[in-house]
Amino acid sequence: MRKIFSTFFAFAALFFALVACSDEEEGTEFLFDREIMEMSVLRSCADEGDSSACYRIRYHYPIEREHYSGLVVWLDTFVVDDTSKAVSSKQIDKATQFIEYPKGTSSYYDTLDLTDLVQEYIGKYDSLQVALFCKYSDDKDPGSVQRVFLHFGDDLPPSRVTIFDSVWTNGALFEWFRPTDQVDFYKPAELSGEIVGYNVVIYSADKNEDLRNLKVILTTADGVDSTGSKFYRRHSRIRANTDSVWFDSVSHTDKDKNYLRLSIIDGKGFDADVDSLNRFRMVIRGLQSKSEYTIGLSAWDAAGNSSGTEGLSTVETNQLFITTDSVAPVMPTRIFILEDSLFPGKARLDSNNRLRIFWSMSVDPYEVKHPIKSDSIVLIPDTCLFTLCYDTVQTYIIERYSALDKNWKIYDDTTLAAGRFSKRYALDGDTMVASATGIFVTDTIRWVSPGDTIVFRIRSKDKSGYYSAALVDTVYVSPGAHASELECPEGFVPVSVSDSSKFCMEKFEHRNDSGEFVVNVRHSEAVAACEAVSASGFKVSLCNERDWELVCLSGGSLSYGVLNELSVDASSFLFGYCNVGTNDSISAADISKRNPRCVNPAGIRDLPGQYQEWVIGKSEDTVAVVKGSSFKIYNGLDRESLAYCTNRSFPYFTRPAYSTDTIFLYREGTKVDTLFQADTSRTPYEKKPYLTMKDFKDTLQFFDVQDSNGNSIGTDYALYSEYRKGGDAWLDTLANGLKYVPSEIKVVFLTGEKVPFRLAASFYKSTTIGFRCCAYPE
């Protein structure tokens, strides 16, 4: 039997000692200032070169040290148990160790090394209590006993597993995700410990029901097992003792026939990057309809720790699931829309990019053999009366297919009322009208872009939880009024910034032929990439700053270039949906991880965040301009201000300020300033009313910055002393992939200030900056 001490007791004991120390029956008051403080366990050895496991306790001496003799230490609970606050003289005499206080020390801390003393406990215990008591030479009240726990192995269980279930008449689907496991108590951030597997028990309260031969299909990231030969074992469970974890057979006689025990093999740790690799799905078939069952599941790590219990004595308290009745609801086979008059057959959007879809309401028949038929609408004969032949369904589940990650995603808009399917509609010509006798229901899909193609999957669920067959249909959304005038190149969508100015803009930031976002490029490279795009009838270029801004503002109706229909503040929306200021570069780079809610009315995505974007500035002296914000957190700047459509940034490097003019020089505090005319109100610098050539003693090295083809793209400079000291290696760092060719040396006067060197914008690049192309009609 392993001896395990919960960390809960450690904290509870400490807390109790602090707040309840005056409640002893004998009336002893424990003095806080006579106890050691700030205890922490160190796994490192005193010798830094020693890589073996050591056990040292660092602690702060008690506040009161005038009569402090030293620290009394006990290992285990044989002498001092795990709850006592006081100790007797006999217990002190039986102490494991006494650490004498070094009188006159100026240190506030000491370290207690227990490595040698605990060796006899390692391998026998998973954790060990260390009790600590401050001994004083006077007769005043003492402090209370303090405790820490040393952990020798992995005695921390994996996190609890949450099971998601879906049921039907004779079966159920269970889904869960691999839990995290903290392997080392002293390394709380490491949560990818190996999960050996899972114990599962299915239980029926009906002792006459035989569950032993239920059909089981398990799906993992590694494949599918429908026979119990690869990823699970029937009539088996994981067991553990002090040094082993193994899979063991369990009884499955007639006495136990209302149980099914499974052990599921895992063998991997939690994958923090790809969530789908943590997913497990198990389908159970062969259950009875409208019956109650429970399922229990526990995860086991490599050290034999379990996340929970699924034992026979507790199955009644495990997760309940109830199979449905034997008749599934009936669903129609078609979605109806409100057509756009400009594009017949395509659905129109309202001014807030919302799409209305309608379908014939689903019904739940009472009998297996029913006369109700499924077609574009659900056909119910006049002889089949409501509540006698069929009933209404409980709700609908609406999903849309994501072509980016090839998965169905549930449409879950929490802003809508739960009873949104209670209204009825009837078809009136080419539109839908509310009608008490109508046979159609509706839903509003938000954040839809013009020109979208949406594949919907709609299922109804009856009151027993039985899902219908799915209505799968495709809705083609109108590309909008501008599309009737502009046929944009692939990847571009039509936009308008005025009644007379219409052009096309890339829906996302520019991507290469492999679908990767193009970032870490100079402004000139962004210009060249856009000009290389071929589109008949259009001139493609990097977007102009004014055009980018006007598209983002959407006629002045938007501040950040996104439709926000939620009752959340702008900062939360930008953070939650647009990846502004999150430091999440992975979501920025992966288009499938981006949230479709970060969109403007024209269907332009991610204007506020993901990547900042190069644009062509409004004037010649500010050609290289950056718009929007990015995933990066910028210190001292709030994400709302950075993400404004009107915000503009100028990338630059900081360089030392200098002067080459023999002009008047003054000092104001520590700031040196130069003027072209004398200022009698200020104090001359070092009593010199103006500079002379003798004052020019500082030297700068100037460089001609060239691209890979040898073309000059700008000028830069640095202190000559830094260049001489750093050499070619330093110059390569400064060049950042470009070629810095020394051009001239200038003797100057350094003013002592740092100034933004905006000429660097011509060769500035960053992994946070991309760009977007615009196609202008010729």
Side-chain angles (χ1 to χ4, degrees), residues 146-334:
Q146 303 296 293
R147 294 174 176 81
V148 293
F149 290 83
L150 303 181
H151 294 259
F152 303 134
D154 177 10
D155 61 348
L156 300 170
S159 59
R160 287 274 181 171
V161 179
T162 300
I163 307 173
F164 304 92
D165 64 63
S166 177
V167 296
W168 55 93
T169 306
N170 62 353
L173 180 147
F174 303 100
E175 183 177 83
W176 69 92
F177 289 84
R178 178 182 295 119
T180 57
D181 181 45
Q182 183 180 333
V183 176
D184 191 326
F185 177 85
Y186 303 102
K187 297 178 181 178
E190 296 184 7
L191 297 170
S192 57
E194 178 186 319
I195 303 299
V196 171
Y198 310 87
N199 279 339
V200 178
V201 58
I202 308 291
Y203 166 76
S204 171
D206 181 0
K207 297 186 181 299
N208 294 318
E209 186 174 358
D210 193 342
L211 303 182
R212 292 173 293 180
N213 296 313
L214 292 175
K215 176 69 174 177
V216 178
I217 302 174
L218 180 71
T219 303
T220 75
D222 295 320
V224 180
D225 184 1
S226 59
T227 61
S229 59
K230 293 174 63 178
F231 304 127
Y232 77 88
R233 297 177 182 177
R234 193 183 292 268
H235 314 307
S236 171
R237 67 174 300 180
I238 301 171
R239 298 184 189 274
N241 59 16
T242 55
D243 59 1
S244 300
V245 181
W246 71 96
F247 292 82
D248 195 10
S249 298
V250 295
S251 172
H252 52 283
T253 64
D254 288 346
K255 180 182 178 182
D256 308 308
K257 66 181 181 181
N258 60 324
Y259 294 88
L260 172 62
R261 285 196 173 276
L262 305 170
S263 57
I264 295 174
I265 303 168
D266 189 346
K268 296 181 179 179
F270 182 81
D271 193 310
D273 296 324
V274 185
D275 202 37
S276 61
L277 297 180
N278 301 311
R279 180 166 23 188
F280 289 79
R281 285 181 175 176
M282 182 176 65
V283 174
I284 303 290
R285 299 184 187 277
L287 302 172
Q288 295 180 3
S289 65
K290 300 186 73 171
S291 299
E292 293 187 1
Y293 302 90
T294 66
I295 180 172
L297 185 148
S298 62
W300 291 71
D301 67 15
N305 301 305
S306 169
S307 66
T309 178
E310 75 303 321
L312 294 178
S313 62
T314 61
V315 292
E316 290 83 356
T317 62
N318 286 336
Q319 184 168 318
L320 175 69
F321 66 97
I322 305 173
T323 52
T324 69
D325 60 35
S326 59
V327 186
V330 179
M331 273 293 287
T333 59
R334 177 190 166 189

Side-chain angles (χ1 to χ4, degrees), residues 343-360:
F343 296 91
K346 295 189 176 182
R348 71 169 182 257
L349 300 177
D350 69 10
S351 58
N352 287 313
N353 285 48
R354 292 177 295 201
L355 168 69
R356 290 284 299 275
I357 58 174
F358 302 83
W359 62 93
S360 173

